[in-house]
Amino acid sequence: MGLASIIYEVGVASKYINHAMRTGDLGLAGTSNLYGEEQLALDVLADEIIKDRLDHTGRVRKIISEEQSEIIIFERSGRLRQYSVCYDPLDGSSLVDVNLAVGTIVSIYAGDDPLQPGRNQVGAMYVVYGPRTTLVYSVGKGVFEFTLNSLGEFTLSREGIILKEKGNLYSPGGLRQEYLPQHEKFIATLEEKGYKLRYSGGFVPDINQILLKGQGIFTYPATTGNLHGKLRLLFELNPMAYLIEQAGGAASTGLMPILDVVPEHLDHRCPIYIGCREEVALAEKFLAIPV
Ligand code: AHG
Ligand code: MN
Ligand code: MN
């Protein structure tokens, strides 16, 4: 029941975030987060809304948020508080003011330790704020999509979402001139095979496209600019890797499964190759070639 109430309350939070995004102030909050990124008023507002709703469940003990510099412990303790949550309240927030889709990403663990390998997640979800507002989640029994209707209710729109073994879409993050040789060869191989480039700059809609089309690969690699890549393990990579594996796909750092990485700190970053199993395996082959 605890897990359901967390997913439900994130759904409630997403309605307020959705409203704020379509009507509210898109300006800067005048603060920055742990990563030195200027926080948009929307980032801070979305974070507050989700934090309050998670506390309201009475089932969450600790949270890690992209917008908070340390782990937050909910004081209103209680023997029922047996979950920990890592979340990105608004991923891709800088895309809001050019009217592109953005999202909320949530990772859920049993117990009071949110710094666990992603393999230990008991659930994960995301919300896409796009032409439609949709909520995608899994608690280990397949992947489901709910769509927000005109009455403000989330209704089931897809169930048992599954990825094909192989696809023909690729989402190549990072600056091309900063690609390392093995990654460059991998991307060139996809292009020679005629893969179609689909990249919005928003991790959530880019992953959502792969899930709903049932195929594709998203990558944000190690680059000369950042050997660890850009995306954060705890609240971006782990939840998406959980969902994609639940849909029969794969998620790798290029060297090992994302879900097996042991997080070392809150802003642990990894390179990522995520989507159809065949393309992820191909990427791992290229990354294994000694330079
Ligand atoms: P956030 O807005 O939470 O910082 O995340 C943005 C991320 C992710 O959404 C996307 O995949 C990536 O930034 C895009 O990075 P580039 O602009 O370097 O392509
Ligand atoms: Mn993010
Ligand atoms: Mn964010």
Side-chain angles (χ1 to χ4, degrees), residues 37 66 88 90-93 199 201-203 218 220 230-232 236:
E37 298 159 338
E66 181 188 73
D88 181 349
L90 202 55
D91 179 84
S93 47
Y199 189 77
F203 188 43
F218 174 99
Y220 207 105
K230 173 179 184 179
L231 298 178
R232 277 60 60 102
E236 291 167 334

Side-chain angles (χ1 to χ4, degrees), residues 4 25 29 34-35 67 104 108 134 173 183 231 245 266 286-287:
D25 162 28
L34 171 66
Y35 312 96
E67 304 307 333
T104 295
I108 308 169
T134 56
H183 181 74
L231 298 178
E245 284 204 4
L266 299 194
F286 276 101
L287 273 285

